[in-house]
Amino acid sequence: MRRRCHPLLATFLAALLLFAAGSGLTGAPSAAAAAATPVRIMPLGDSITGSPGCWRSLLWNQLQNAGYTDIDFVGTLNAQSCALTHDADNEGHGGFQATATADQNLLPGWLAATRPDIVVMHFGTNDVWSSIAPDTILAAYTKLVGQMRAGNPAMKVLVAQIIPINPSSCAECAARTVAFNQRIPAWADGITTAQSPVTVVDQWTGFDTATDTYDGVHPNASGDAKMAARWYPALAALLTPGDPGDPGDPGSGGCSAVFRAVSVWQGGYQGEVTVTNSSSTAAISSWAVTLALPTGSQLTQVWNGTLTGTTVRNAGWNGTVTAGASTTFGFLASTPAAAGTPSATATCSAS
């Protein structure tokens, strides 16, 4: 004889099934319950990107500080050699050419290993230095973008008009860079698609090899700050298109500040801070930088700014900074006699 289920037991089992269905226990997890997948961003290029490429550390921290925390820098290389803690994964290969990378089909392996959603590409400096024709470099760009799209049809690509170069061994490099950069916007217009947009980021304008590099090619602290400031609004727009709170949007007043030690002596040092407007379109009219110094250190003198406590505000003549441009201020600080390498954390705000 078949046994019947007790009415109370049947009610309990029905309730249990309803609970399981509502909790996602009877199938795949609901979209709300699933963990968000970070946006994977590949910095791609040569030594300007990877050796050490400290603009990446500044860019990473700008994004984090602005609330873009659900991101993952990716690459098969990783070198933690910059002052700021950051996600150091990258694909910046020192000495590499864009043309050789395309010819040797190196990119597909890097893409397969890292699966980026966005590529941030500053590539071609070594090609220009080697007097490779712009048409040949742009053909390599086209092949590289095709390889990106083969792995991810919705790939978003930021391509730099590369920073100027003026090495002592190459008198023609400065002019070659200009000629190459002039060709990039038309190339990008011809290859961009709605599904896989290619956006040009002007890293050339306002960059001075005399003050923003240490050898005519590779960026120093001020050069890194300028590069990060130019990448930031273009990258933030891909992460949160149209967000009115984006610090890189017109009128929002974003800025970054980078410290470097100019000279050091027992009991003190001279420091310099580069303040960069993070917007690519809007000027700022005033800025303030708060300095966090090591224990026992004290600011004793400031120039090109006014000091209140540990905050340096712009002087009357250098508060206005155009989009992507920079200004600097200097200071003297005393330190304990046994202090090590000078350091300071600089936090910038602007309006």
Side-chain angles (χ1 to χ4, degrees), residues 223-243:
D224 285 327
K226 287 184 177 182
M227 291 190 70
R230 290 299 177 89
W231 285 126
Y232 175 84
L235 183 53
L238 295 180
L239 299 172
T240 52
D243 180 0

Side-chain angles (χ1 to χ4, degrees), residues 17-344:
L17 288 171
L18 286 172
F19 171 78
S23 303
L25 296 177
T26 58
S30 66
T37 302
V39 178
R40 301 170 67 84
I41 303 165
M42 173 191 281
L44 173 65
D46 46 42
S47 59
I48 291 171
T49 294
S51 306
C54 288
W55 60 261
R56 290 182 289 104
S57 69
L58 299 176
L59 179 60
W60 170 264
N61 280 275
Q62 282 180 309
L63 292 166
Q64 295 292 303
N65 292 338
Y68 302 106
T69 55
D70 196 20
I71 60 174
D72 181 15
F73 279 13
V74 298
T76 60
L77 305 177
N78 181 295
Q80 292 281 357
S81 55
C82 301
L84 291 175
T85 300
H86 65 292
D87 183 344
D89 293 337
N90 73 93
E91 215 64 74
H93 297 261
F96 277 40
Q97 297 174 338
T99 49
T101 299
D103 290 343
Q104 297 171 28
N105 293 313
L106 300 177
L107 183 59
W110 303 339
L111 294 168
T114 59
R115 299 174 291 105
D117 304 296
I118 299 171
V119 172
V120 175
M121 187 170 87
H122 186 287
F123 216 174
T125 298
N126 292 304
D127 303 80
V128 170
W129 199 337
S130 300
S131 196
I132 296 174
D135 282 345
T136 305
I137 306 172
L138 292 174
Y141 274 18
T142 298
K143 183 173 181 179
L144 294 174
V145 171
Q147 291 172 337
M148 296 173 197
R149 289 171 173 169
N152 179 358
M155 183 75 74
K156 297 175 175 64
V157 188
L158 300 182
V159 176
Q161 287 176 292
I162 63 175
I163 63 173
I165 60 172
N166 191 23
S168 59
S169 61
C170 181
E172 302 81 16
C173 278
R176 289 180 199 158
T177 305
V178 173
F180 175 57
N181 279 336
Q182 288 174 341
R183 299 283 302 280
I184 293 176
W187 166 83
D189 286 343
I191 199 171
T192 192
T193 67
Q195 184 181 19
S196 175
V198 176
T199 303
V200 178
V201 178
D202 181 4
Q203 290 286 357
W204 188 89
T205 302
F207 197 102
D208 186 344
T209 56
T211 58
D212 298 326
T213 72
Y214 59 82
D215 60 358
V217 178
H218 299 88
N220 57 19
S222 65
D224 285 327
K226 287 184 177 182
M227 291 190 70
R230 290 299 177 89
W231 285 126
Y232 175 84
L235 183 53
L238 295 180
L239 299 172
T240 52
D243 180 0
D246 179 354
D249 286 345
S252 64
C255 64
S256 64
V258 177
F259 160 82
R260 74 179 183 97
V262 177
S263 58
V264 184
W265 55 88
Q266 185 172 6
Y269 64 95
Q270 176 185 338
E272 180 182 80
V273 174
T274 299
V275 177
T276 301
N277 182 351
S278 300
S279 172
S280 62
T281 55
I284 58 176
S285 58
S286 64
W287 49 264
V289 174
T290 300
L291 293 170
L293 304 180
T295 302
S297 298
Q298 184 175 357
L299 293 171
T300 59
Q301 183 180 346
V302 170
W303 54 92
N304 297 340
T306 59
L307 178 64
T308 304
T310 58
T311 297
V312 178
R313 302 183 185 280
N314 60 272
W317 56 269
N318 64 353
T320 299
V321 183
T322 58
S326 301
T327 188
T328 62
F329 68 85
F331 65 88
L332 299 179
S334 62
T335 62
T341 303
S343 63

